[in-house]
Amino acid sequence: MSRKTVEFYFDFGSPAAYLAWAQLPALCDEAGAELIHKPMLLGAVFQATGNRSPAEVPAKSRYVRRDFERHAARHGVPLHFNPYFPINTLVLMRGATAMQMQDGGARFGDYCATVFRAMWVDEKNMNDPAVVGAVLQAGGFDAPAFMALVAQPAVKDRLKAVTEEAVARGVFGAPTMFVGEQMFWGQDRLQWVREALAA
């Protein structure tokens, strides 16, 4: 019998994706499932699907921000809404893709933890290349080597391919999780992910 999997499509620019990322490893461990990370470019998903960020709708933005705070408090996840939001995550998501491709993904988890923390705990301005470089250096990464890595065509092509794959599967926002062909959108749908894994 094949092991169950959770495919996790995410972008660092989504606080909802951060909240899901913080909880999914334990959920998958409990269910004996494999967590498969799928870095995608949320801006490209929005463009392809006609969706847009809640930040563009002031009333919805206010509500969603408070809802994220409630969710974080309930699940014990540290969250500080980034004052520089929205942030262009193209380089950051290429970085996630590159870390998956390098050395069998050995430092992918460390990279995600470093970037998510900078974005949604430490309130860093990740639009600023100098700040990104400092965050990466503090996280034990070689910033100049990183910039060379994310410029590689193979990295760009893979991020594009995964983003296109997401759209083809019906993804319109982040986070989106798949258990088999069942799709679940949002950090508040993890209980349904858990139930799908138990079925």
Side-chain angles (χ1 to χ4, degrees):
M1 182 176 178
S2 60
R3 189 182 187 193
K4 291 187 177 180
T5 61
V6 176
E7 295 173 89
F8 173 53
Y9 289 89
F10 73 99
D11 185 305
F12 293 122
S14 166
Y18 161 66
L19 291 170
W21 169 83
Q23 298 171 74
L24 275 169
L27 185 157
C28 289
D29 284 347
E30 291 167 10
E34 179 185 2
L35 178 58
I36 301 172
H37 291 80
K38 298 270 194 167
M40 67 177 187
L41 196 59
L42 185 57
V45 170
F46 283 166
Q47 185 174 21
T49 61
N51 195 10
R52 58 180 179 155
S53 169
E56 296 181 35
V57 184
K60 188 174 184 179
S61 179
R62 288 190 297 271
Y63 174 82
V64 168
R65 178 171 175 168
R66 182 68 189 102
D67 199 49
F68 289 157
E69 290 169 349
R70 284 192 289 258
H71 191 93
R74 168 161 291 188
H75 295 281
V77 179
L79 173 68
H80 298 122
F81 204 84
N82 196 304
Y84 302 100
F85 181 85
I87 287 172
N88 184 334
T89 59
L90 177 60
V91 170
L92 301 175
M93 297 316 299
R94 284 178 178 168
T97 300
M99 290 299 159
Q100 279 189 323
M101 296 171 70
Q102 188 179 50
D103 301 327
R107 298 218 61 198
F108 175 76
D110 292 339
Y111 175 79
C112 289
T114 296
V115 176
F116 267 131
R117 181 174 182 85
M119 289 279 293
W120 301 113
V121 181
D122 296 336
E123 304 176 48
K124 299 291 187 180
N125 182 6
M126 300 295 275
N127 281 316
D128 184 338
V131 173
V132 172
V135 165
L136 292 174
Q137 289 291 156
F141 296 90
D142 182 323
F146 170 86
M147 293 310 296
L149 193 60
V150 299
Q152 293 181 1
V155 170
K156 297 177 181 180
D157 289 346
R158 179 163 169 179
L159 177 60
K160 182 180 179 182
V162 172
T163 301
E164 290 174 347
E165 169 195 289
V167 172
R169 295 183 76 180
V171 172
F172 55 86
T176 298
M177 289 75 63
F178 283 88
V179 178
E181 291 307 310
Q182 295 184 75
M183 186 176 91
F184 304 95
W185 170 63
Q187 88 292 344
D188 53 352
R189 295 299 186 266
L190 295 188
Q191 181 56 40
W192 294 358
V193 172
R194 183 179 285 109
E195 290 174 7
L197 289 171

